């Protein structure tokens, strides 16, 4: 979605209503203002999904399907002392 707007003399910019509505932005929303090359990026801060950690993990599990055997965490984690010969699988 693209929209044009003007910056006021105070440096204020109005985000068009349709953009605010589609992104779920509310009055008082805070943003990170980033410079990316010659562009300005506004990124909402403190956004949450409203879901618990358990709900987020359940969503992730539903999207990622691994049907193989259980893998010990030690084999998933990388560490500087990891030795390829220490793997047992």
């Amino acid at each position: 979605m693209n929209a044009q707007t003007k910056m006021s003399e105070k440096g204020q910019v109005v985000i068009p209503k349709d953009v605010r509505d589609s992104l779920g932005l509310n009055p008082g929303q805070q943003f990170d203002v980033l410079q990316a090359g010659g562009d300005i990026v506004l990124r909402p801060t403190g956004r949450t999904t409203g879901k618990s950690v358990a709900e987020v993990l359940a969503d992730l599990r539903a999207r990622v399907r691994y049907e193989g055997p259980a893998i010990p965490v030690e084999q998933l984690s990388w560490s500087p002392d990891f030795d390829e010969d220490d793997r047992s699988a």
Side-chain angles (χ1 to χ4, degrees):
M1 181 177 302
N2 293 325
Q4 285 189 341
T5 188
K6 276 187 185 178
M7 183 171 66
S8 74
E9 289 183 22
K10 292 183 176 183
Q12 298 167 324
V13 176
V14 174
I15 299 172
K17 183 172 180 2
D18 59 336
V19 174
R20 294 190 316 260
D21 289 347
S22 73
L23 296 174
L25 302 175
N26 296 309
Q29 173 73 53
Q30 292 188 346
F31 294 88
D32 291 325
V33 181
L34 309 168
Q35 181 178 350
D39 295 330
I40 299 168
V41 178
L42 294 178
R43 182 176 55 202
T45 56
R47 302 231 19 202
T48 62
T49 63
K51 294 181 179 182
S52 69
V53 171
E55 290 170 318
V56 171
L57 289 175
D59 289 349
L60 181 60
R61 285 187 191 104
R63 293 178 192 192
V64 178
R65 292 190 174 95
Y66 174 73
E67 297 179 11
I71 301 172
V73 162
E74 296 79 18
Q75 290 182 357
L76 296 176
S77 300
W78 178 87
S79 78
D81 340 6
F82 179 78
D83 183 0
E84 291 271 339
D85 297 330
D86 291 343
R87 289 193 298 174
S88 59

